């Protein structure tokens, strides 16, 4: 089962560069925690009595991390406001696992050879599956559940199962 956990956090910091400022500035609202590989548009900031401009920072939507966007507003008296937007690019999507084709039924007394699985992920290139086939007892007729497990570099987990039938 695929889990999608979207964590929305807005971290805003306001820093005053002068006392007795006679104007205000705010960071325009946005979704500041975004999934890697998705889109994000800087909504900028808004001021009263002057213009607010982005002075520093970019967001690399293809790379997980924390990014800082700095804005500066200055009024006609030379008073300055500095604002900071923190954008978190995260990977909250679990890998998707697929079973390799193989024989899922073996005759009693015949060794079961597992063919494994492979994983695809939205961020990591190589996802390996871990498997424990010790539950399959090919000396006893029955159905056995084999569970495969994988974890990507962000800690997102995935599992998939295979039923192995031992028959007479």
């Amino acid at each position: 089962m695929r889990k999608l956990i979207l964590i929305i956090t807005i971290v805003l910091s306001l820093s005053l560069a002068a006392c007795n400022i006679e104007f205000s500035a705010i960071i325009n609202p946005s979704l500041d925690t975004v999934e890697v590989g998705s889109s994000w548009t800087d909504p900028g900031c808004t001021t009263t009595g002057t213009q607010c401009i982005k002075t520093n920072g970019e967001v690399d939507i293809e790379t997980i991390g924390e990014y800082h966007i700095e804005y500066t507003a200055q009024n006609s008296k030379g008073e300055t406001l500095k604002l900071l937007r923190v954008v978190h690019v995260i990977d909250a999507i679990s890998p998707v696992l697929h079973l390799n084709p193989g024989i899922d039924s073996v005759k009693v007394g015949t060794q079961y050879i597992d063919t494994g699985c492979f994983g695809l992920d939205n961020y990591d290139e190589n996802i390996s599956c871990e498997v424990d086939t010790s539950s399959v007892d090919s000396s006893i007729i029955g159905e056995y559940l084999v569970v495969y497990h994988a974890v990507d570099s962000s800690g997102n987990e995935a599992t998939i199962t295979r039923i192995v039938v031992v028959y007479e």
Side-chain angles (χ1 to χ4, degrees):
M1 182 175 183
R2 185 174 161 177
K3 288 184 184 178
L4 172 62
I5 301 172
L6 178 59
I7 302 168
I8 301 172
T9 57
I10 299 175
V11 180
L12 303 176
S13 171
L14 178 61
S15 167
L16 300 177
C19 296
N20 301 320
I21 303 271
E22 295 181 10
F23 70 104
S24 64
I26 61 166
I27 295 177
N28 294 332
S30 82
L31 189 65
D32 290 336
T33 297
V34 294
E35 183 66 36
V36 65
S38 64
S39 63
W40 181 80
T41 303
D42 184 355
C45 59
T46 304
T47 66
T48 58
T50 188
Q51 181 181 11
C52 187
I53 60 169
K54 180 169 92 172
T55 54
N56 191 21
E58 295 295 327
V59 174
D60 180 357
I61 203 69
E62 299 301 324
T63 305
I64 293 172
E66 180 178 284
Y67 298 90
H68 295 197
I69 308 292
E70 297 173 4
Y71 307 92
T72 301
Q74 185 174 20
N75 67 11
S76 59
K77 296 178 182 178
E79 298 168 327
T80 302
L81 282 175
K82 292 188 183 275
L83 297 104
L84 175 67
R85 177 187 305 276
V86 179
V87 178
H88 298 273
V89 177
I90 63 167
D91 173 17
I93 297 176
S94 295
V96 177
L97 303 183
H98 300 276
L99 296 174
N100 289 328
I103 298 173
D104 295 341
S105 298
V106 294
K107 188 170 181 168
V108 68
T110 306
Q111 180 183 6
Y112 169 70
I113 300 172
D114 186 72
T115 56
C117 79
F118 66 95
L120 301 174
D121 190 59
N122 65 315
Y123 188 69
D124 295 320
E125 290 184 21
N126 297 314
I127 298 293
S128 60
C129 297
E130 296 176 7
V131 62
D132 180 4
T133 59
S134 64
S135 67
V136 178
D137 186 347
S138 61
S139 68
I140 300 173
I141 295 171
E143 290 185 354
Y144 299 91
L145 189 64
V146 176
V147 179
Y148 303 83
H149 181 257
V151 181
D152 69 13
S153 64
S154 296
N156 302 308
E157 298 183 60
T159 58
I160 193 168
T161 59
R162 180 190 309 264
I163 296 174
V164 176
V165 178
V166 177
Y167 64 92
E168 187 170 357

